[in-house]
Amino acid sequence: MEHAYEVILIGGGPVGMMLAGELALAGIKVCVVERLKETTPFSRALTVHPRTLEILDMRGVKSKLMSKGRPLPRGHFAELDTPLNFSVLDSTSNYTLFLPQSETEKVLEEWALGLGAEIRREVEALSVHQDEDGVDVQLTGPDGETALRALYVVGTDGAGSLVRKQAGISFEGTDATFTAILGDAVLSELPSKSVVSRISEKGLVRVMPINEHLYRVLIIDPERSHVSKNEPLTVEEFRASLIRTAGSDFGLTEARWLSRFGNATRQAGRYRNYRLFLAGDAAHIHFPAGGQGMNVGLQEAMNLGWKLAGAIKGWAPDWMLDSYHTERFPWNTALLRNTEVQTLLLDAAPPIMEMRSMLSKLLSIPEANYQISAQIAAIDVHYAPDAEAPPHPLNGKRSKDIALRLKDEQRVSMYQLLHKGTFLLLQLNCNEQNWEEYRNLQVVSASLDVTGDDWNDVHSALIRPDGHIAWAISRSNSNPGRTIKEGIARWCGTVTE
């Protein structure tokens, strides 16, 4: 069977759509297979975190989300009294965006479609089978069973991932020890846009306004926390739990979406089995503390997309596809640990309540608050420096959106230069050489519009398509031309136009 596509993505939620856009941007023939007829109508994930906003800014998509959402300068860790302060983060996206997942999905789907991705809805994958040359995918849909073949398949198909199971990848971790409930409800007795946050021996309740009339309600009700997440949540149970934990149903008149979920915590033993990859909930599940799940999945899609495109186009070196797992796995492990810590802190037992008080006081210290805020926002993510590159403090780090002045005095931001999804060789105030022969490399000569201590000594830097710094070389380098040539060859291959 011929390859109908270069990549097939099983699962068309936010992560699948983000990866489809990344691949289509790189000129890859990609297809998303999704069993639902349309994007989710439910709010689900409501938080777009700073690092996610940064990567979307790199593709010119952030502004579309900003027009639909509400920026919030604060967040929380385990519902502690002292909020996290995102406004002090060293980022041009120093806030979270309060936006229903239904809107986020629509924006990402439109972006992917506009770039040429194909989306097949009301189609479900039955099996995947890989061989040395590609992957066969068996599907079922309105027209019966069909088969497609691709070079690679990525499972963005959630916690019960078919791809993960058929790839023989373990899903290691712990089962749920309790369940909580979520609902989007009309609460007529609350003043417009009220916020409620309470934790006591009666349980936890948090109420956040989605709009003028609709509220997101999170409840951990000790009397119902033993119930399996597979048991349907009724409006009657939702109301009773709200009364038990908050003392009132706040005039509940309508529940538009209800969900029960647990604190099961698991991670795939590896994110790749040859031609099969995992991203998002297919690779890890956890209690949704801090609203990190969707965000991490989108960041994984950004990490994987350009690497997969490079392998298909022929310029990516062999080690690059394996780096998807080696780079993302440790950070996702840290994510699982911080959600487990937050889960422990949601217990209302007296020793835990005392610990909550202590941690709230610690978060009032700016340095401590910054550290936790950066972790939840994923601003602290960095990758191991390239062992083949000369040492530099910037190697492997995420690049913030630095302001640049081009030769013609035009001012641009670095993220603007990443809209095409290619590598960016940034040459700062130096006698540049011509490196234009690399088709996946954009070369820009500029100066810093605003000086920054960590960039002041930089002669040149290679910025990866995902905004991390592959390598930087200092002005004191004795042979910058040779170092740049070797660094480009290592990261960008040798394929030319």
Side-chain angles (χ1 to χ4, degrees), residues 191-471:
S192 178
K193 297 186 178 179
S194 296
V195 176
V196 177
S197 183
R198 301 174 187 171
I199 182 170
S200 69
E201 70 279 358
K202 296 179 180 179
L204 177 146
V205 59
R206 181 174 176 84
V207 181
M208 285 282 293
I210 296 176
N211 55 41
E212 189 174 352
H213 304 291
L214 192 66
Y215 291 83
R216 163 60 60 85
V217 182
L218 164 67
I219 303 172
I220 300 178
D221 179 359
E223 290 195 23
R224 300 294 294 169
S225 62
H226 64 283
V227 178
S228 167
K229 72 179 184 66
N230 297 320
E231 182 175 322
L233 174 62
T234 65
V235 176
E236 291 73 22
E237 180 187 350
F238 182 72
R239 185 192 306 276
S241 286
L242 190 54
I243 291 172
R244 273 194 296 271
T245 55
S248 170
D249 71 355
F250 301 118
L252 171 65
T253 59
E254 180 185 357
R256 298 182 184 174
W257 173 65
L258 296 173
S259 176
R260 194 191 311 272
F261 60 96
N263 66 326
T265 302
R266 293 186 177 278
Q267 182 166 209
R270 47 185 170 149
Y271 290 2
R272 179 192 184 191
N273 179 350
Y274 192 38
R275 293 184 177 273
L276 302 177
F277 292 81
L278 304 173
D281 288 352
H284 42 75
I285 58 171
H286 54 86
F287 192 78
Q292 301 169 89
M294 179 188 72
N295 290 275
V296 169
L298 295 178
Q299 293 156 28
E300 287 164 7
M302 187 73 151
N303 183 287
L304 177 59
W306 59 275
K307 297 173 180 178
L308 203 50
I312 293 166
K313 294 291 186 181
W315 57 259
D318 292 341
W319 55 266
M320 192 167 283
L321 274 185
D322 286 333
S323 74
Y324 169 59
H325 172 88
T326 56
E327 289 186 342
R328 292 305 312 176
F329 189 86
W331 289 102
N332 292 338
T333 301
L335 161 70
L336 301 189
R337 298 294 84 82
N338 91 50
T339 57
E340 288 176 321
V341 168
Q342 291 188 69
T343 302
L344 289 173
L345 290 171
L346 297 179
D347 190 331
I352 301 298
M353 294 299 286
E354 181 61 26
M355 183 179 293
R356 288 176 60 84
S357 176
M358 293 172 62
L359 290 174
S360 288
K361 292 174 183 177
L362 287 173
L363 283 180
S364 66
I365 301 171
E367 293 80 4
N369 197 298
Y370 191 100
Q371 181 172 332
I372 301 299
S373 297
Q375 182 181 23
I376 298 298
I379 292 297
D380 66 342
V381 173
H382 57 274
Y383 301 132
D386 184 359
E388 301 293 323
H392 193 280
L394 289 176
N395 290 0
K397 291 186 177 179
R398 109 186 202 281
S399 177
K400 56 189 177 183
D401 192 15
I402 61 176
L404 300 168
R405 188 190 298 265
L406 303 181
K407 280 184 171 183
D408 61 3
E409 297 300 312
Q410 178 185 355
R411 290 180 172 86
V412 298
S413 72
M414 179 181 288
Y415 289 178
Q416 285 178 266
L417 300 174
L418 293 172
H419 284 189
K420 296 179 180 179
T422 62
F423 283 93
L424 169 65
L425 177 62
L426 186 61
Q427 301 196 287
L428 298 175
N429 295 321
C430 59
N431 295 321
E432 68 278 2
Q433 293 176 253
N434 180 24
W435 308 103
E436 299 285 359
E437 67 269 21
Y438 289 85
R439 68 182 182 189
N440 59 327
L441 175 66
Q442 179 185 186
V443 182
V444 172
S445 298
S447 58
L448 297 173
D449 198 34
V450 178
T451 58
D453 292 341
D454 48 355
W455 281 89
N456 284 342
D457 84 319
V458 174
H459 174 286
S460 300
L462 183 68
I463 314 302
R464 301 171 11 162
D466 60 4
H468 282 264
I469 301 165
W471 47 259

Side-chain angles (χ1 to χ4, degrees), residues 19-56:
L19 184 52
E22 280 294 289
L23 291 166
L25 181 63
I28 299 302
K29 190 175 183 183
V30 58
C31 175
V32 179
V33 173
E34 170 54 51
R35 61 182 179 82
L36 297 180
K37 185 176 182 179
E38 55 189 17
T39 56
T40 181
F42 305 119
S43 63
R44 296 187 182 274
L46 282 171
T47 303
V48 186
H49 275 309
R51 180 55 181 168
T52 306
L53 291 171
E54 285 187 343
I55 65 174
L56 293 172

